[in-house]
Amino acid sequence: MINTLILLTTEFAAVAHLMMSLVLFYFARRSVRFLSQAWIMLLIGILYGVGLCFVAVHDIPSPGILHPVMLIYLLACSYLQSIYPLGMCMPGYLQWGRMWGYATPALALIFIYSVGAAMGSNLAKVYEAADIPENLLSGDVLLRLTALGLSGYYIINIFRLPHKLVRRFELPPDLAVYGAALGLVAVYFIVLTIRFSLVGLMLYMVLFTVVNMFFFFRILRPVSRSMVLPAIQPVKAPPPPNVLSMSELDDFNEANLHRFEVMEYKMQTERPYVDPLFNRESLCGMTGFNRHVVLQSLRSQGYNDIHEYIARYRVAELKKQIIAGRITDLKQHGSVGFRALKTAQSCFERYEGGSLIEWFREHAPGADTSADDGGENT
């Protein structure tokens, strides 16, 4: 009976985290700051998936005090949870270099322990607190205590970082509540590594999943609803080649921004989008960046893909020409790069949140709107 409950609880945790990761990956197509949360949820879901496979074919033994499997899970999860909120204000994969440096002690510890276990080193049998002093000088127990201490360091950051981020950045105050709840759940898991209980393990998995779902529904959903495309800002000059080269070596986010500035300058000065044949290949050729780099830079600034970026400029140009009186008939949509009126209408509705026909009537009184149903989407 207890194994069945463990199986169901693990399945619930795995499915919930995998579902949240899929939705976050979808959000990340609009805003890169969701990408780190998506990966972390995916990794946690995979951990629970591995646990689900184990529970399905084995009975769960009593692991004793500070069991290596419990400690490795605690170390991995406490690290992931401590960097989780950072993705809200540090887009661009959380600056991979810094995060790898932050994870180096944990990775080194896991590597040393794994190599020792693979080489057949004798693992200390620690079932009671009294067994620890007897084996204190063994490398196995020292590694376990080091893992426990390092997990404590990460858990302190789980409590500390969300409060610090809320004060420094415009982030929802619920982030601080989430950090406190997540930290308490991590502390509770330390208790489980010392005094293991199957019922306690099920309670931990439920609490951990519910806390992450709280973060998902209370913070990410409102943010996703408010996501809008960035305003088109004038760029008077592109960044010099040496500045771009230096940023590519030093800072992932700054490099994306400078590449984006190059694209913006080209789009604003050369206006290539007014050519209906201008597409993503043309943009790549014009800027000298490959498709992956262009897409990466655009997503870092809030665009979903290259087609959206080009269409956004065409919609802006259409509005500008209508207000200036140079477009008095919607059949002139080709002059701003749209090959079909239906395409112009759908893009306008998507990016401006309203009907092109109604906006045209309001800003060009007496203009010809007879073409509101004309054209074919291409």
PDB file of all heavy atoms in Angstrom, residues 138-165:
ATOM      1  N   SER A 138      36.693   8.543   7.896  1.00  0.00           N
ATOM      2  CA  SER A 138      36.611   7.909   6.574  1.00  0.00           C
ATOM      3  C   SER A 138      36.261   8.952   5.527  1.00  0.00           C
ATOM      4  O   SER A 138      35.494   9.883   5.771  1.00  0.00           O
ATOM      5  CB  SER A 138      35.569   6.794   6.584  1.00  0.00           C
ATOM      6  OG  SER A 138      34.266   7.337   6.680  1.00  0.00           O
ATOM      7  N   GLY A 139      36.836   8.781   4.324  1.00  0.00           N
ATOM      8  CA  GLY A 139      36.566   9.742   3.253  1.00  0.00           C
ATOM      9  C   GLY A 139      35.107   9.798   2.886  1.00  0.00           C
ATOM     10  O   GLY A 139      34.578  10.861   2.528  1.00  0.00           O
ATOM     11  N   ASP A 140      34.404   8.674   2.988  1.00  0.00           N
ATOM     12  CA  ASP A 140      32.996   8.616   2.644  1.00  0.00           C
ATOM     13  C   ASP A 140      32.177   9.547   3.525  1.00  0.00           C
ATOM     14  O   ASP A 140      31.382  10.359   3.042  1.00  0.00           O
ATOM     15  CB  ASP A 140      32.505   7.169   2.778  1.00  0.00           C
ATOM     16  CG  ASP A 140      31.013   7.054   2.543  1.00  0.00           C
ATOM     17  OD1 ASP A 140      30.504   7.718   1.614  1.00  0.00           O
ATOM     18  OD2 ASP A 140      30.347   6.312   3.280  1.00  0.00           O
ATOM     19  N   VAL A 141      32.369   9.454   4.827  1.00  0.00           N
ATOM     20  CA  VAL A 141      31.603  10.284   5.757  1.00  0.00           C
ATOM     21  C   VAL A 141      31.994  11.752   5.621  1.00  0.00           C
ATOM     22  O   VAL A 141      31.146  12.648   5.694  1.00  0.00           O
ATOM     23  CB  VAL A 141      31.785   9.789   7.202  1.00  0.00           C
ATOM     24  CG1 VAL A 141      31.157  10.767   8.197  1.00  0.00           C
ATOM     25  CG2 VAL A 141      31.161   8.411   7.367  1.00  0.00           C
ATOM     26  N   LEU A 142      33.278  12.021   5.407  1.00  0.00           N
ATOM     27  CA  LEU A 142      33.707  13.418   5.223  1.00  0.00           C
ATOM     28  C   LEU A 142      33.055  14.034   3.984  1.00  0.00           C
ATOM     29  O   LEU A 142      32.642  15.206   4.004  1.00  0.00           O
ATOM     30  CB  LEU A 142      35.229  13.478   5.099  1.00  0.00           C
ATOM     31  CG  LEU A 142      36.016  13.213   6.389  1.00  0.00           C
ATOM     32  CD1 LEU A 142      37.512  13.206   6.105  1.00  0.00           C
ATOM     33  CD2 LEU A 142      35.689  14.264   7.444  1.00  0.00           C
ATOM     34  N   LEU A 143      32.947  13.252   2.917  1.00  0.00           N
ATOM     35  CA  LEU A 143      32.283  13.759   1.715  1.00  0.00           C
ATOM     36  C   LEU A 143      30.804  14.002   1.980  1.00  0.00           C
ATOM     37  O   LEU A 143      30.230  14.986   1.492  1.00  0.00           O
ATOM     38  CB  LEU A 143      32.457  12.765   0.561  1.00  0.00           C
ATOM     39  CG  LEU A 143      33.836  12.733  -0.099  1.00  0.00           C
ATOM     40  CD1 LEU A 143      33.910  11.605  -1.114  1.00  0.00           C
ATOM     41  CD2 LEU A 143      34.137  14.059  -0.785  1.00  0.00           C
ATOM     42  N   ARG A 144      30.181  13.130   2.749  1.00  0.00           N
ATOM     43  CA  ARG A 144      28.758  13.326   3.074  1.00  0.00           C
ATOM     44  C   ARG A 144      28.560  14.611   3.877  1.00  0.00           C
ATOM     45  O   ARG A 144      27.637  15.386   3.598  1.00  0.00           O
ATOM     46  CB  ARG A 144      28.236  12.138   3.874  1.00  0.00           C
ATOM     47  CG  ARG A 144      28.240  10.820   3.127  1.00  0.00           C
ATOM     48  CD  ARG A 144      27.465   9.784   3.896  1.00  0.00           C
ATOM     49  NE  ARG A 144      27.817   8.422   3.475  1.00  0.00           N
ATOM     50  CZ  ARG A 144      27.193   7.337   3.902  1.00  0.00           C
ATOM     51  NH1 ARG A 144      26.192   7.444   4.742  1.00  0.00           N
ATOM     52  NH2 ARG A 144      27.570   6.139   3.491  1.00  0.00           N
ATOM     53  N   LEU A 145      29.417  14.828   4.867  1.00  0.00           N
ATOM     54  CA  LEU A 145      29.282  16.040   5.681  1.00  0.00           C
ATOM     55  C   LEU A 145      29.572  17.295   4.856  1.00  0.00           C
ATOM     56  O   LEU A 145      28.935  18.335   5.033  1.00  0.00           O
ATOM     57  CB  LEU A 145      30.235  15.959   6.873  1.00  0.00           C
ATOM     58  CG  LEU A 145      29.915  14.863   7.901  1.00  0.00           C
ATOM     59  CD1 LEU A 145      30.985  14.825   8.990  1.00  0.00           C
ATOM     60  CD2 LEU A 145      28.537  15.088   8.522  1.00  0.00           C
ATOM     61  N   THR A 146      30.530  17.186   3.923  1.00  0.00           N
ATOM     62  CA  THR A 146      30.810  18.325   3.038  1.00  0.00           C
ATOM     63  C   THR A 146      29.602  18.618   2.152  1.00  0.00           C
ATOM     64  O   THR A 146      29.243  19.790   1.933  1.00  0.00           O
ATOM     65  CB  THR A 146      32.036  18.028   2.162  1.00  0.00           C
ATOM     66  OG1 THR A 146      33.153  17.718   2.985  1.00  0.00           O
ATOM     67  CG2 THR A 146      32.372  19.221   1.286  1.00  0.00           C
ATOM     68  N   ALA A 147      28.963  17.562   1.627  1.00  0.00           N
ATOM     69  CA  ALA A 147      27.769  17.749   0.801  1.00  0.00           C
ATOM     70  C   ALA A 147      26.649  18.394   1.607  1.00  0.00           C
ATOM     71  O   ALA A 147      25.930  19.264   1.099  1.00  0.00           O
ATOM     72  CB  ALA A 147      27.303  16.407   0.239  1.00  0.00           C
ATOM     73  N   LEU A 148      26.521  17.989   2.856  1.00  0.00           N
ATOM     74  CA  LEU A 148      25.490  18.583   3.708  1.00  0.00           C
ATOM     75  C   LEU A 148      25.771  20.063   3.946  1.00  0.00           C
ATOM     76  O   LEU A 148      24.873  20.907   3.871  1.00  0.00           O
ATOM     77  CB  LEU A 148      25.418  17.829   5.039  1.00  0.00           C
ATOM     78  CG  LEU A 148      24.335  18.293   6.009  1.00  0.00           C
ATOM     79  CD1 LEU A 148      22.949  18.064   5.427  1.00  0.00           C
ATOM     80  CD2 LEU A 148      24.466  17.557   7.343  1.00  0.00           C
ATOM     81  N   GLY A 149      27.036  20.393   4.217  1.00  0.00           N
ATOM     82  CA  GLY A 149      27.383  21.790   4.444  1.00  0.00           C
ATOM     83  C   GLY A 149      27.192  22.643   3.195  1.00  0.00           C
ATOM     84  O   GLY A 149      26.699  23.776   3.268  1.00  0.00           O
ATOM     85  N   LEU A 150      27.576  22.111   2.024  1.00  0.00           N
ATOM     86  CA  LEU A 150      27.410  22.855   0.778  1.00  0.00           C
ATOM     87  C   LEU A 150      25.932  23.048   0.459  1.00  0.00           C
ATOM     88  O   LEU A 150      25.517  24.121  -0.023  1.00  0.00           O
ATOM     89  CB  LEU A 150      28.114  22.107  -0.355  1.00  0.00           C
ATOM     90  CG  LEU A 150      28.179  22.805  -1.720  1.00  0.00           C
ATOM     91  CD1 LEU A 150      28.830  24.176  -1.599  1.00  0.00           C
ATOM     92  CD2 LEU A 150      28.938  21.940  -2.719  1.00  0.00           C
ATOM     93  N   SER A 151      25.122  22.035   0.733  1.00  0.00           N
ATOM     94  CA  SER A 151      23.670  22.175   0.545  1.00  0.00           C
ATOM     95  C   SER A 151      23.123  23.276   1.440  1.00  0.00           C
ATOM     96  O   SER A 151      22.248  24.049   1.028  1.00  0.00           O
ATOM     97  CB  SER A 151      22.968  20.851   0.857  1.00  0.00           C
ATOM     98  OG  SER A 151      23.395  19.830  -0.010  1.00  0.00           O
ATOM     99  N   GLY A 152      23.654  23.353   2.675  1.00  0.00           N
ATOM    100  CA  GLY A 152      23.225  24.425   3.579  1.00  0.00           C
ATOM    101  C   GLY A 152      23.536  25.800   3.022  1.00  0.00           C
ATOM    102  O   GLY A 152      22.734  26.736   3.152  1.00  0.00           O
ATOM    103  N   TYR A 153      24.697  25.932   2.357  1.00  0.00           N
ATOM    104  CA  TYR A 153      25.062  27.208   1.734  1.00  0.00           C
ATOM    105  C   TYR A 153      24.069  27.582   0.637  1.00  0.00           C
ATOM    106  O   TYR A 153      23.612  28.738   0.551  1.00  0.00           O
ATOM    107  CB  TYR A 153      26.474  27.106   1.171  1.00  0.00           C
ATOM    108  CG  TYR A 153      26.836  28.214   0.201  1.00  0.00           C
ATOM    109  CD1 TYR A 153      27.015  29.523   0.640  1.00  0.00           C
ATOM    110  CD2 TYR A 153      26.992  27.937  -1.158  1.00  0.00           C
ATOM    111  CE1 TYR A 153      27.349  30.529  -0.256  1.00  0.00           C
ATOM    112  CE2 TYR A 153      27.330  28.929  -2.053  1.00  0.00           C
ATOM    113  CZ  TYR A 153      27.506  30.223  -1.599  1.00  0.00           C
ATOM    114  OH  TYR A 153      27.835  31.219  -2.480  1.00  0.00           O
ATOM    115  N   TYR A 154      23.717  26.611  -0.213  1.00  0.00           N
ATOM    116  CA  TYR A 154      22.746  26.873  -1.271  1.00  0.00           C
ATOM    117  C   TYR A 154      21.374  27.199  -0.683  1.00  0.00           C
ATOM    118  O   TYR A 154      20.651  28.062  -1.206  1.00  0.00           O
ATOM    119  CB  TYR A 154      22.641  25.662  -2.207  1.00  0.00           C
ATOM    120  CG  TYR A 154      23.844  25.458  -3.099  1.00  0.00           C
ATOM    121  CD1 TYR A 154      24.328  24.172  -3.353  1.00  0.00           C
ATOM    122  CD2 TYR A 154      24.491  26.527  -3.694  1.00  0.00           C
ATOM    123  CE1 TYR A 154      25.434  23.962  -4.179  1.00  0.00           C
ATOM    124  CE2 TYR A 154      25.591  26.327  -4.508  1.00  0.00           C
ATOM    125  CZ  TYR A 154      26.061  25.052  -4.749  1.00  0.00           C
ATOM    126  OH  TYR A 154      27.153  24.870  -5.567  1.00  0.00           O
ATOM    127  N   ILE A 155      21.002  26.523   0.374  1.00  0.00           N
ATOM    128  CA  ILE A 155      19.687  26.765   0.988  1.00  0.00           C
ATOM    129  C   ILE A 155      19.616  28.165   1.582  1.00  0.00           C
ATOM    130  O   ILE A 155      18.579  28.835   1.513  1.00  0.00           O
ATOM    131  CB  ILE A 155      19.393  25.683   2.057  1.00  0.00           C
ATOM    132  CG1 ILE A 155      19.164  24.331   1.370  1.00  0.00           C
ATOM    133  CG2 ILE A 155      18.162  26.058   2.895  1.00  0.00           C
ATOM    134  CD1 ILE A 155      19.058  23.165   2.312  1.00  0.00           C
ATOM    135  N   ILE A 156      20.723  28.633   2.164  1.00  0.00           N
ATOM    136  CA  ILE A 156      20.744  30.018   2.659  1.00  0.00           C
ATOM    137  C   ILE A 156      20.461  30.989   1.526  1.00  0.00           C
ATOM    138  O   ILE A 156      19.722  31.977   1.682  1.00  0.00           O
ATOM    139  CB  ILE A 156      22.105  30.318   3.319  1.00  0.00           C
ATOM    140  CG1 ILE A 156      22.239  29.543   4.635  1.00  0.00           C
ATOM    141  CG2 ILE A 156      22.267  31.820   3.565  1.00  0.00           C
ATOM    142  CD1 ILE A 156      23.607  29.654   5.271  1.00  0.00           C
ATOM    143  N   ASN A 157      21.028  30.715   0.348  1.00  0.00           N
ATOM    144  CA  ASN A 157      20.771  31.581  -0.814  1.00  0.00           C
ATOM    145  C   ASN A 157      19.333  31.478  -1.299  1.00  0.00           C
ATOM    146  O   ASN A 157      18.804  32.436  -1.879  1.00  0.00           O
ATOM    147  CB  ASN A 157      21.735  31.228  -1.949  1.00  0.00           C
ATOM    148  CG  ASN A 157      23.127  31.769  -1.703  1.00  0.00           C
ATOM    149  OD1 ASN A 157      23.306  32.736  -0.971  1.00  0.00           O
ATOM    150  ND2 ASN A 157      24.130  31.139  -2.298  1.00  0.00           N
ATOM    151  N   ILE A 158      18.698  30.318  -1.112  1.00  0.00           N
ATOM    152  CA  ILE A 158      17.276  30.196  -1.475  1.00  0.00           C
ATOM    153  C   ILE A 158      16.455  31.201  -0.674  1.00  0.00           C
ATOM    154  O   ILE A 158      15.539  31.844  -1.199  1.00  0.00           O
ATOM    155  CB  ILE A 158      16.773  28.764  -1.218  1.00  0.00           C
ATOM    156  CG1 ILE A 158      17.463  27.775  -2.146  1.00  0.00           C
ATOM    157  CG2 ILE A 158      15.252  28.683  -1.420  1.00  0.00           C
ATOM    158  CD1 ILE A 158      17.110  26.323  -1.867  1.00  0.00           C
ATOM    159  N   PHE A 159      16.775  31.355   0.615  1.00  0.00           N
ATOM    160  CA  PHE A 159      16.091  32.342   1.446  1.00  0.00           C
ATOM    161  C   PHE A 159      16.494  33.768   1.083  1.00  0.00           C
ATOM    162  O   PHE A 159      15.662  34.672   1.033  1.00  0.00           O
ATOM    163  CB  PHE A 159      16.412  32.108   2.936  1.00  0.00           C
ATOM    164  CG  PHE A 159      15.709  30.945   3.558  1.00  0.00           C
ATOM    165  CD1 PHE A 159      16.370  29.757   3.787  1.00  0.00           C
ATOM    166  CD2 PHE A 159      14.369  31.041   3.918  1.00  0.00           C
ATOM    167  CE1 PHE A 159      15.727  28.675   4.373  1.00  0.00           C
ATOM    168  CE2 PHE A 159      13.712  29.973   4.497  1.00  0.00           C
ATOM    169  CZ  PHE A 159      14.390  28.786   4.734  1.00  0.00           C
ATOM    170  N   ARG A 160      17.788  33.972   0.840  1.00  0.00           N
ATOM    171  CA  ARG A 160      18.336  35.325   0.727  1.00  0.00           C
ATOM    172  C   ARG A 160      18.088  35.986  -0.617  1.00  0.00           C
ATOM    173  O   ARG A 160      17.672  37.156  -0.683  1.00  0.00           O
ATOM    174  CB  ARG A 160      19.851  35.257   0.993  1.00  0.00           C
ATOM    175  CG  ARG A 160      20.562  36.597   0.993  1.00  0.00           C
ATOM    176  CD  ARG A 160      22.036  36.401   1.300  1.00  0.00           C
ATOM    177  NE  ARG A 160      22.702  35.635   0.246  1.00  0.00           N
ATOM    178  CZ  ARG A 160      23.237  36.201  -0.838  1.00  0.00           C
ATOM    179  NH1 ARG A 160      23.148  37.513  -1.020  1.00  0.00           N
ATOM    180  NH2 ARG A 160      23.833  35.447  -1.748  1.00  0.00           N
ATOM    181  N   LEU A 161      18.335  35.260  -1.708  1.00  0.00           N
ATOM    182  CA  LEU A 161      18.322  35.880  -3.033  1.00  0.00           C
ATOM    183  C   LEU A 161      16.974  36.476  -3.427  1.00  0.00           C
ATOM    184  O   LEU A 161      16.927  37.592  -3.952  1.00  0.00           O
ATOM    185  CB  LEU A 161      18.795  34.878  -4.088  1.00  0.00           C
ATOM    186  CG  LEU A 161      20.293  34.552  -4.052  1.00  0.00           C
ATOM    187  CD1 LEU A 161      20.638  33.494  -5.091  1.00  0.00           C
ATOM    188  CD2 LEU A 161      21.125  35.807  -4.303  1.00  0.00           C
ATOM    189  N   PRO A 162      15.833  35.762  -3.233  1.00  0.00           N
ATOM    190  CA  PRO A 162      14.556  36.375  -3.655  1.00  0.00           C
ATOM    191  C   PRO A 162      14.275  37.713  -2.975  1.00  0.00           C
ATOM    192  O   PRO A 162      13.807  38.657  -3.623  1.00  0.00           O
ATOM    193  CB  PRO A 162      13.519  35.320  -3.261  1.00  0.00           C
ATOM    194  CG  PRO A 162      14.272  34.035  -3.264  1.00  0.00           C
ATOM    195  CD  PRO A 162      15.637  34.384  -2.774  1.00  0.00           C
ATOM    196  N   HIS A 163      14.567  37.843  -1.681  1.00  0.00           N
ATOM    197  CA  HIS A 163      14.351  39.112  -0.985  1.00  0.00           C
ATOM    198  C   HIS A 163      15.249  40.209  -1.556  1.00  0.00           C
ATOM    199  O   HIS A 163      14.828  41.356  -1.729  1.00  0.00           O
ATOM    200  CB  HIS A 163      14.628  38.935   0.516  1.00  0.00           C
ATOM    201  CG  HIS A 163      13.643  38.060   1.215  1.00  0.00           C
ATOM    202  ND1 HIS A 163      12.469  38.544   1.763  1.00  0.00           N
ATOM    203  CD2 HIS A 163      13.639  36.721   1.428  1.00  0.00           C
ATOM    204  CE1 HIS A 163      11.794  37.535   2.298  1.00  0.00           C
ATOM    205  NE2 HIS A 163      12.472  36.429   2.117  1.00  0.00           N
ATOM    206  N   LYS A 164      16.486  39.847  -1.854  1.00  0.00           N
ATOM    207  CA  LYS A 164      17.415  40.812  -2.430  1.00  0.00           C
ATOM    208  C   LYS A 164      16.972  41.250  -3.822  1.00  0.00           C
ATOM    209  O   LYS A 164      17.041  42.432  -4.171  1.00  0.00           O
ATOM    210  CB  LYS A 164      18.814  40.188  -2.481  1.00  0.00           C
ATOM    211  CG  LYS A 164      19.907  41.139  -2.932  1.00  0.00           C
ATOM    212  CD  LYS A 164      21.257  40.456  -2.858  1.00  0.00           C
ATOM    213  CE  LYS A 164      22.372  41.401  -3.302  1.00  0.00           C
ATOM    214  NZ  LYS A 164      23.709  40.747  -3.225  1.00  0.00           N
ATOM    215  N   LEU A 165      16.488  40.309  -4.625  1.00  0.00           N
ATOM    216  CA  LEU A 165      16.067  40.618  -5.985  1.00  0.00           C
ATOM    217  C   LEU A 165      14.820  41.493  -6.002  1.00  0.00           C
ATOM    218  O   LEU A 165      14.695  42.391  -6.835  1.00  0.00           O
ATOM    219  CB  LEU A 165      15.811  39.323  -6.756  1.00  0.00           C
ATOM    220  CG  LEU A 165      17.042  38.436  -6.998  1.00  0.00           C
ATOM    221  CD1 LEU A 165      16.633  37.131  -7.663  1.00  0.00           C
ATOM    222  CD2 LEU A 165      18.075  39.160  -7.846  1.00  0.00           C
TER     223      LEU A 165
END
